[in-house]
Amino acid sequence: MSFSLSSISQLSAGAAGAAKRFIYENAPSFTASSPQAKMDTTLDDFGDILALNDKVLQETSDDLSEEDVKKYDLDPPRVVVVGLTSAGKSSLLERVVGFPIFPVLDRVCTRQPFQLSMKRVRKGAASDAKNGDIAEAASKKAAASPTQQQQGAVASEEKKENSGSTAAHAGEHEGILRFPASGKSFRLPEQVGEVRGEIASLQRSNSERVEFSTNEIRATVHSAANETFTFTDLPGVFLVSEMKMGKSFAKSREENARLQKETMNIAKHYVQRPNTIVLVVISSTDWTHGMNNDPLCGHLAEWLEETRRSHNVDVYGVITKLDMQSTLSKNSPIRKVLTGSLPDDHILQGLKVKKWIPVVSSPSILKQTDLKQAEVMELEAIQKCLKTCIPSSALNTMPLGRRALLRELKFALLKAIIKTQRGLQERVGKFADDVEARLRTLPRPATISEKRQIFDLRLKVMEEHLKSLVGATGATASNSLRMQLMVEAPTLYEKSLLACSLRGNIRQDVQQILNQAALEAGGSFDSDVSFNTLSRRIINCYRKPSLELVSRCANIILKALKLSVDKAFGDYKQLRVLVMRTLGLHAESADVKADVKFEGNTAPSTMFGTLKRSVVSKVLSLIDAHGTMICFHPMWRNFDTLHTKILKAQSRNSGGGLFSTDSKSPDQTLQHMLELPALAKRVSLEGRNAIKTYEDATGQTISMSNRDKICKHFARVEVMGYIIRMSLMGCVFPIIIRDLRDGLFEGIKCGLTTWDFSVSRLLRTKLLFDPKMEKTVLMYMDPSSEDAEKRRKWEKKKAVLNGLQLEFDKCQDRLQILQDVFNKP
């Protein structure tokens, strides 16, 4: 079965729809079992779904930031046009939209991505609309009830053409082109010249220096004849060989390399985005002289194939500028690519294109305002070029021209929409919920009573967040503030205590031992005088690590407190500063206004400063107390037994023995738990080191009897250090936690003074119960101009997302029908 081009021009208006369906249904890809063939009326039945996808694309591009789109994965399916410079991409879009709107210059014209959206409106809406009310005119069709929309959707294409609901009848093709960013509108085709000038200005096409940009230009064409569809035309990939480099292109190799990098980066940004359908445009003039030898086209094809595989995108090919070829030989690469007979070594063989479609966009066709006549002219031009190298029987079944291209792309787009719409709808809903939550936290105009309630609510938020950060039941992640406080800080404290050297002046200590004849009996050195001397030295060694622990814990809790204040009051900039100052977080309170004062002439002690002073006082008192309490420790009172029975045992059992980890004795297990093996090792090393140091310094040799006395002396030092260290590890950290952390929620006692305030109670008392401060607080809770701008931005996002949710809800039945078509076996 076949058709002739001459017969198309003679068809009546009533038969045009049937002929058009005949053309599409005989394309090679439309097999009887394919979903495309099951759509037994027309793909236009699902125009409302395409319109929904276009709305998502437009709204996410216009009103949502790229960060929002990326965070919530809101990329809808889209068609992106790529190709080499001067491949005819812009001319292709002119053919699709039906108007020659792009500037024609002897230099690179497309320097920024150009998103062109076609919107179908009711017949006459475009011609009736004024520049200022085009949006209202274009939305009249969308204002119909859902029932009316569905009735219109299920009508057959032939019925549409016979009833005059589209502009497919003979007559002028009219429309309105609008630039949303500037609000400028132009009538088509009357103001085509002005449109070209506006696009050239936006693209900076008149500049001699070629510079590409990722800033997207958007335009919308409202017409009764066009399909609802959106293309994004990208700047041509600047893979221009040096032979083609002239004054209209790069002036040097370096400039050419720069342009190539910029255009490839733009192409990657779009093509590698999710749900992209790629339309690669290649000019037939590049094939005439043996495209197989052009490494530049090969580079583009290789990159597209790699992207197709790695990002799972569909690629369709368009062959342009066939009208510039009078005839083609049977060896032409164009014939081979259209008939699928490319040799294995051809550069396009590796690019898995879904289908290649020839499209002609000559000036004579673009000037033709009768769309049917333009279609006939296009098909005649394509067949004139191809008939010499492709048999008529094969040519008549190929998808040719603008309408075939649109049908293929619409089918691919609908298929992509079905795969993504459910997840996209859920993500839009999630984003809408987050926006709603964000709006609830922004300052808004409120009465005094409402402001007090808001302040109390923010106090609860602050306290709950503080508990989640460092509280007893807070986060347990390895990098959380609570784990830094409860695990890392005490671990570092233990390491710091162990790293302290308890030695005094080794030479003097050893000499003192040698000079004391009473040491022979082993009793005089156990005196209280000896104890006091050693304990003061050890206490001084441990004072610094203990205060460092206080400082480390204080910084962690301070950070948690600041984060909690930011969480609760971050939207009220001045109030946040005031809260910081009230709590004593002075590093953040430098910009508080000078007129903000507390009751009285001087500010009272701040909460955090009071808590920290309490901790420091208690820790220092605890350390000093060890000077009198350690002499009663059982290990000290029984030092001789400890030294003889346990510590010296290591040297007598060097092969393992007493401290072997293989032993199962309960006593030995307990000793390991108390870290006595480590203490014994330290005692032995310190004694030997003292003897060696003294002998090296004096040149004298110490007798064996005196060696034992010296070793016993340094054993006493290490045992006392061990006793104090273990005591501090068990006492200092709980004091810090009780006062610094729990004091934020329960208050503290410092000497005879009771600080009976939680952080929430303190702020409420200082800032709300004081009439002067309350006035300041309420004033700070009024929305600032910055807050008002944030609210406006987020409310706009909320309106956009709610609108998208409503559109999704309206199209659920239609989406289900389309889903059934694709899933039906």
Side-chain angles (χ1 to χ4, degrees), residues 271-292:
V271 172
Q272 295 176 354
R273 296 175 78 167
N275 312 316
T276 298
I277 298 170
V278 179
L279 189 62
V280 55
V281 179
I282 296 181
S283 169
S284 63
T285 58
D286 289 334
W287 285 0
T288 304
H289 304 293
M291 181 181 173
N292 198 35

Side-chain angles (χ1 to χ4, degrees), residues 552-573:
R552 186 177 295 112
C553 294
N555 288 335
I556 294 172
I557 294 174
L558 179 63
K559 183 176 181 180
L561 195 53
K562 289 179 179 178
L563 290 174
S564 300
V565 172
D566 286 339
K567 174 78 173 178
F569 299 99
D571 295 319
Y572 299 96
K573 184 176 180 181

